[in-house]
Amino acid sequence: MLALAAAVFCAVYTLIGRQARGYMSTTIYTYIVYVFCALALGLATASDGLAFTGYGVRSVVVGLLLSVCSTLLGHSIFSWCLKFFSPSFVSASKLCEPVAAAVFALFLFGEVPAPLQIAGGVVTIGGVLLYSQVEKRENDVLKGK
């Protein structure tokens, strides 16, 4: 149920982003999104009675790296793309995130994916490439090319 809810919320977020990016800069849009996400996480942490401190320097550094690399660089790029690409293409391209993470893990940590994981990555990238070709053809037909 959580995965289904996450998929629905991700789709709604992408569609709202497409509308907002039509008249709003990436900087303003992502600032609004990230502020509300931080508030929601803070409220969830406080309501569960969890501590905000006491996790050690390593955890803080990892959290900062995740917020800079994944959020600011990763998701901000998706938000930027919503102005220029269809929401369905941006959503499909998000499927490549785990593949990119596996490649980073290989080079940064020496973690070699299992053969089945490699096959899954190839299928995922192939599917996204196939989808992009189909969408390009459909757009060309609509534009009369």
Side-chain angles (χ1 to χ4, degrees):
M1 294 306 292
L2 286 176
L4 181 59
V8 169
F9 287 124
C10 188
V12 169
Y13 167 73
T14 302
L15 291 173
I16 290 170
R18 173 64 173 190
Q19 293 298 315
R21 287 289 294 120
Y23 60 88
M24 191 181 298
S25 74
T26 303
T27 304
I28 292 171
Y29 175 71
T30 55
Y31 179 79
I32 292 168
V33 169
Y34 298 157
V35 164
F36 279 97
C37 286
L39 289 172
L41 287 172
L43 288 172
T45 301
S47 69
D48 283 350
L50 300 172
F52 285 95
T53 60
Y55 295 103
V57 174
R58 182 172 186 231
S59 296
V60 171
V61 170
V62 168
L64 288 173
L65 287 172
L66 282 170
S67 63
V68 169
C69 295
S70 300
T71 304
L72 293 179
L73 298 176
H75 291 283
S76 295
I77 290 171
F78 286 127
S79 296
W80 175 82
C81 287
L82 284 170
K83 186 167 187 167
F84 306 101
F85 300 102
S86 72
S88 54
F89 177 76
V90 173
S91 293
S93 66
K94 288 179 184 179
L95 295 172
C96 294
E97 281 185 69
V99 179
V103 171
F104 281 125
L106 175 66
F107 290 109
L108 293 175
F109 307 116
E111 292 184 17
V112 179
L116 192 57
Q117 292 169 317
I118 294 171
V122 170
V123 169
T124 299
I125 291 172
V128 171
L129 289 173
L130 178 64
Y131 175 78
S132 67
Q133 291 293 323
V134 170
E135 184 172 288
K136 183 180 181 321
R137 266 183 270 154
E138 287 177 359
N139 285 338
D140 288 347
V141 167
L142 290 174
K143 293 177 182 176
K145 290 184 180 179

